[in-house]
Amino acid sequence: MDITIHASFLPHTDAEAALGFYRDALGFEVRKDVGYQDMRWLTVGPPGQPDVNIVLYPPTADPNITEEEGKVITEMITKGTFASLLLASPDVDAAFAAVQAHDVEVVQEPTDQDWGMRDCAFRDPAGNMVRMQQVG
């Protein structure tokens, strides 16, 4: 069996702010920018990795979500308890410095963790937790 992860989904609450973080701060490519009515889906991914995609989507786009559920989801996103993303870099300190230069919310500066990993963390403009660990 040959299975790969092609795309994962993260909610956004502001498409332009999401672009500012994923494209400008992280350096990801914009692969698709799709609008429908007053909503917008963005597909981004790291340069040189065309098979790795993150779809940034309006969290209440699903017509099966009630207004009350939409409010709960939006509150959870804002608190950073709804979704998260784990990235990797061979040099977390350099990546942290580059991302931090873009006025992002820093959750944790690069830290050597007890379990042997060096990592750092940010919140994207919606509130999603974005952690980055050192690999390689």
Side-chain angles (χ1 to χ4, degrees):
M1 186 178 321
D2 185 12
I3 297 174
T4 61
I5 297 174
H6 179 66
S8 60
F9 287 70
L10 278 179
H12 74 71
T13 54
D14 179 329
E16 285 302 316
L19 274 176
F21 181 78
Y22 289 95
R23 181 193 59 204
D24 303 336
L26 291 179
F28 285 3
E29 299 172 337
V30 178
R31 298 183 178 149
K32 291 184 183 173
D33 188 339
V34 178
Y36 176 73
Q37 297 178 346
D38 62 343
M39 297 178 280
R40 194 167 164 200
W41 286 257
L42 301 163
T43 303
V44 297
Q49 298 179 49
D51 294 332
V52 177
N53 299 283
I54 300 168
V55 180
L56 303 166
Y57 69 100
T60 56
D62 186 329
N64 296 315
I65 295 174
T66 67
E67 187 174 328
E68 183 64 30
E69 290 169 333
K71 288 179 184 175
V72 171
I73 290 169
T74 302
E75 289 172 4
M76 291 179 70
I77 293 168
T78 303
K79 287 175 53 180
T81 58
F82 188 77
S84 61
L85 176 66
L86 179 59
L87 303 174
S89 171
D91 187 343
V92 157
D93 293 273
F96 176 81
V99 174
Q100 187 184 31
H102 290 271
D103 192 30
V104 301
E105 181 182 349
V106 174
V107 176
Q108 175 202 303
E109 296 189 5
T111 303
D112 291 322
Q113 301 292 350
D114 293 341
W115 59 88
M117 185 64 62
R118 183 165 183 77
D119 69 356
C120 62
F122 303 92
R123 287 198 192 282
D124 77 4
N128 299 306
M129 179 69 74
V130 178
R131 297 196 71 84
M132 185 181 308
Q133 63 184 17
Q134 187 156 321
V135 295

